[in-house]
Amino acid sequence: AMSSSNSAPPLSSLSFLILGATGFIGSHLTSYLSKAKSLHLIDKTPPIISNTCSIPVGERQKQLYSNFKQMDCSRKDALDDYLAQLEHVDFVINCVAETRFGLRSEAYTKSTDAQINIVNLTFKHAKRLGVRGLIHFSTAEVYAPTQEKKTETSPLKPSTVRGKVAQNVEQHLTQKSSQDTSLNCIVLRPAIVYGPGDVTGLSPRLVCASTYAHSKKKMKLLWTPNMKMHTVHIHDVCKAVWHLAKRVISTPDATPLTVFNLCDNTDLNQQKFNNILQEIFSISVGFYGMIISSVAKKRIDEIATMSNELHLPIWEEMKKESCITNTPLTPYISPELIHNASMSVDGSALSAKTAFKYQFPQVTTELIYQQLTFFQDQKKFPGFENPFFASLSKFKDVSMTDCPQNVLNEISEYLKALSIEDEHEAEQATLALIHPEHVDPGTSQLKYKTKEYGWKHDRSQVHRYRCPVVQLRVARNVKYVVGVDSDKTHGEGWKVWIALNDQLEGYPRPVNVIEYTQSSDNTKVTKICGIGNL
């Protein structure tokens, strides 16, 4: 079924069909694969009114969705006619799913019908269209909600409606693939997906926590501190899709259907996430304990009602104070979400079998804060005072002009020797100046962040914006981060922090830091430990 080519062609030579293209995952994939030869995009909701589209309304959204078709995939004839009009598609990516909880059964039946139609019609048109592979998004909710880590071969015992729908579609795809082995099929089972634009993953907990920051009360949770809630960053989800698409093309002897979990190695649980909530919102977070939790298990509907009656009025007040009139975020919790349902997934097989590298192997406070600021920038999440991310304007910004040209030349020569792993990550990058006073000498971690500290991109021109900690310049093809110790401008030498900062669409990654020291009688370049997620 696979091509005998030994290497994958560039993205710019491939065509993709993304179904569910204005959802959270689908919209990120649309952006990630934007340099493809062609993108065919389908969703029942146009991007301009989609609550889950991660690409803000504007010129970029308009450009990305120039080849968008509004369609309900549960209407088999409409999808069949659409596919019949296409000439060529290399990969079909199915992101269609009903991700909301607490809906009427008809909504989930319609979601099942839509996904089965996509499977059937992809197989029907695959040969004529030259489809190399079908990448289907399932969910880790197909596994039993227990504390033990689930591998791809663990029994499927879903407890949620979403998980049961996903299981039914997977079973249909497996049967179809066994009957027709000409099409390579990949099933992805992501854990809780988080990142900019996340509405139903970690965001409900963030919104609830914000109401306690507003009310100045302690936030208390059911169940236990060690209840698993495993995660994967949306960037790694997109990266995995492209990684596996290249593998389908370059590996001639893969099996017709493969399944991979997508999960980082944070081993996130309620206590770890509570620590992040406390750091971001400056609130106290605790637990009710097992006795109350045991009672609550028998009265889930009542507990959900009480929780919503507590959080929703505060959230509405916060929205009013911040003049927020339209946001997909809500603290509303469905009874299905309150159940003691652990999410525990082993995502190591993808790395072990295909050499995939997770770009964000750990959930950090900075990544979660980035998720919040994504919504704040669009006026969909209230602003709030945060000591951890407070302004530090007393520190002097560093200017590149402070660094002698010969030092910059040495840095430039070093950077030329660095290889670029992924053509996507070479597309856009950032040059940043980091004041060493903000770097902990013991851990090499940044000691402070600010609300203004972010990654802003403008593809049309180089631009600069100020923030209390750093000066940032953004430009195409700039592949490094540099910090200069300005206190030594007129001293014995220079201390320069250098790091390759591979990025895609504004996502930072952990970086390797180089210490460069120059003096009158000695020049050296020495690798030191990482500086964290910049």
Side-chain angles (χ1 to χ4, degrees):
M2 289 193 176
S3 167
S4 59
S5 173
N6 291 323
S7 61
L11 175 63
S12 58
S13 67
L14 299 175
S15 177
F16 294 82
L17 168 61
I18 303 177
L19 303 108
T22 68
F24 174 44
I25 294 177
S27 59
H28 274 279
L29 275 171
T30 297
S31 180
Y32 195 102
L33 301 173
S34 61
K35 297 302 179 182
K37 181 179 181 180
S38 63
L39 286 181
H40 306 281
L41 308 173
I42 291 178
D43 204 298
K44 64 181 180 182
T45 308
I48 196 169
I49 62 172
S50 172
N51 281 331
T52 55
C53 184
S54 62
I55 304 167
V57 175
E59 189 60 31
R60 175 165 169 73
Q61 185 190 87
K62 186 176 179 181
Q63 291 174 356
L64 285 176
Y65 287 93
S66 60
N67 199 17
F68 172 78
K69 175 71 173 178
Q70 183 179 5
M71 183 188 302
D72 184 346
C73 292
S74 66
R75 296 175 56 223
K76 183 178 180 180
D77 291 343
L79 181 58
D80 195 8
D81 291 343
Y82 176 86
L83 292 176
Q85 295 173 13
L86 295 179
E87 295 181 357
H88 175 74
V89 172
D90 289 291
F91 288 94
V92 175
I93 306 174
N94 178 30
C95 305
V96 171
E98 180 52 74
T99 58
R100 294 169 294 176
F101 283 108
L103 301 181
R104 296 171 64 90
S105 60
E106 290 83 354
Y108 301 105
T109 300
K110 198 171 184 180
S111 175
T112 304
D113 293 342
Q115 294 182 70
I116 288 178
N117 286 342
I118 292 168
V119 170
N120 290 341
L121 293 174
T122 297
F123 273 88
K124 175 182 176 180
H125 292 274
K127 185 175 181 179
R128 181 185 63 81
L129 291 174
V131 178
R132 300 170 186 258
L134 167 63
I135 300 176
H136 172 77
F137 273 92
S138 183
T139 170
E141 289 178 32
V142 295
Y143 300 119
T146 58
Q147 290 285 90
E148 297 77 20
K149 275 190 174 183
K150 316 304 184 304
T151 67
E152 288 79 357
T153 58
S154 296
L156 304 188
K157 296 181 180 179
S159 64
T160 66
V161 176
R162 296 192 311 192
K164 292 172 183 176
V165 169
Q167 181 187 23
N168 290 337
V169 177
E170 275 198 39
Q171 289 174 341
H172 180 79
L173 176 56
T174 301
Q175 180 182 6
K176 197 76 176 175
S177 181
S178 65
Q179 296 170 352
D180 183 352
T181 60
S182 64
L183 180 62
N184 289 282
C185 300
I186 298 172
V187 175
L188 298 178
R189 296 173 181 164
I192 300 170
V193 184
Y194 76 101
D198 160 36
V199 172
T200 61
L202 296 179
S203 282
R205 288 177 180 258
L206 295 173
V207 176
C208 284
S210 72
T211 65
Y212 288 93
H214 186 80
S215 66
K216 312 296 183 185
K217 294 181 179 179
K218 182 176 182 178
M219 180 178 179
K220 298 181 74 174
L221 304 175
L222 292 171
W223 320 127
T224 62
N226 66 345
M227 191 183 86
K228 306 292 187 183
M229 40 188 296
H230 287 179
T231 53
V232 61
H233 195 278
I234 183 61
H235 174 66
D236 283 323
V237 172
C238 296
K239 185 179 180 182
V241 169
W242 174 231
H243 175 81
L244 290 169
K246 289 187 292 184
R247 183 171 179 264
V248 165
I249 298 172
S250 61
T251 307
D253 298 319
T255 57
L257 188 144
T258 52
V259 179
F260 288 109
N261 293 336
L262 297 179
C263 184
D264 59 39
N265 61 17
T266 306
D267 193 26
L268 191 68
N269 58 33
Q270 287 207 116
Q271 184 58 60
K272 289 181 180 179
F273 195 65
N274 284 357
N275 294 339
I276 292 176
L277 295 178
Q278 290 177 147
E279 196 167 25
I280 291 178
F281 295 103
S282 299
I283 59 175
S284 177
V285 186
F287 295 88
Y288 282 110
M290 285 310 300
I291 295 178
I292 293 179
S293 295
S294 298
V295 175
K297 189 176 294 188
K298 302 175 183 178
R299 303 165 60 184
I300 291 295
D301 290 345
E302 184 180 343
I303 295 296
T305 299
M306 292 172 58
S307 174
N308 293 326
E309 288 178 349
L310 173 64
H311 300 138
L312 285 170
I314 301 175
W315 177 244
E316 290 302 318
E317 180 183 336
M318 293 169 63
K319 286 165 54 181
K320 185 176 180 180
E321 291 178 359
S322 297
C323 299
I324 295 174
T325 57
N326 180 32
T327 176
L329 301 175
T330 175
Y332 176 82
I333 297 179
S334 167
E336 200 171 10
L337 269 177
I338 298 182
H339 279 284
N340 181 12
S342 298
M343 170 70 75
S344 184
V345 184
D346 185 344
S348 63
L350 180 61
S351 299
K353 294 180 180 180
T354 74
F356 177 76
K357 295 180 181 179
Y358 285 91
Q359 196 115 328
F360 298 100
Q362 294 288 318
V363 177
T364 65
T365 302
E366 288 81 5
L367 288 175
I368 299 301
Y369 190 73
Q370 183 186 61
Q371 180 170 323
L372 287 184
T373 55
F374 171 85
F375 288 112
Q376 286 180 325
D377 290 344
Q378 300 178 63
K379 299 190 183 303
K380 294 181 178 180
F381 192 94
F384 55 91
E385 293 298 323
N386 188 334
F388 181 74
F389 295 94
S391 172
L392 299 169
S393 56
K394 64 180 180 178
F395 293 112
K396 175 188 174 184
D397 289 331
V398 183
S399 170
M400 277 300 289
T401 57
D402 292 336
C403 191
Q405 187 60 45
N406 63 327
V407 175
L408 292 178
N409 290 341
E410 290 284 344
I411 295 170
S412 178
E413 288 302 313
Y414 170 78
L415 293 169
K416 287 179 182 177
L418 294 175
S419 61
I420 298 173
E421 177 184 343
D422 193 309
E423 63 182 280
H424 289 83
E425 294 165 354
E427 183 65 30
Q428 192 85 14
T430 299
L431 169 65
L433 303 178
I434 306 160
H435 199 297
E437 196 158 358
H438 297 288
V439 181
D440 187 316
T443 65
S444 290
Q445 299 291 313
L446 286 183
K447 292 191 291 186
Y448 308 102
K449 296 280 185 175
T450 68
K451 178 181 176 181
E452 292 79 12
Y453 181 72
W455 303 90
K456 297 183 181 298
H457 296 275
D458 184 340
R459 292 181 179 275
S460 63
Q461 61 182 352
V462 176
H463 70 280
R464 173 190 284 190
Y465 72 98
R466 293 177 62 83
C467 121
V469 177
V470 295
Q471 286 256 15
L472 297 180
R473 292 189 186 94
V474 182
R476 295 173 71 92
N477 301 322
V478 181
K479 290 297 301 175
Y480 51 91
V481 178
V482 179
V484 181
D485 188 342
S486 61
D487 294 336
K488 294 186 178 181
T489 302
H490 305 291
E492 297 178 355
W494 286 83
K495 196 173 191 180
V496 182
W497 303 82
I498 310 172
L500 180 65
N501 187 42
D502 291 340
Q503 298 190 106
L504 170 68
E505 299 300 339
Y507 296 118
R509 64 172 291 176
V511 294
N512 296 317
V513 179
I514 305 300
E515 182 182 282
Y516 175 94
T517 304
Q518 183 191 41
S519 62
S520 58
D521 59 349
N522 182 38
T523 299
K524 64 179 180 178
V525 178
T526 308
K527 181 172 285 190
I528 61 173
C529 56
I531 203 171
N533 288 306
L534 295 177

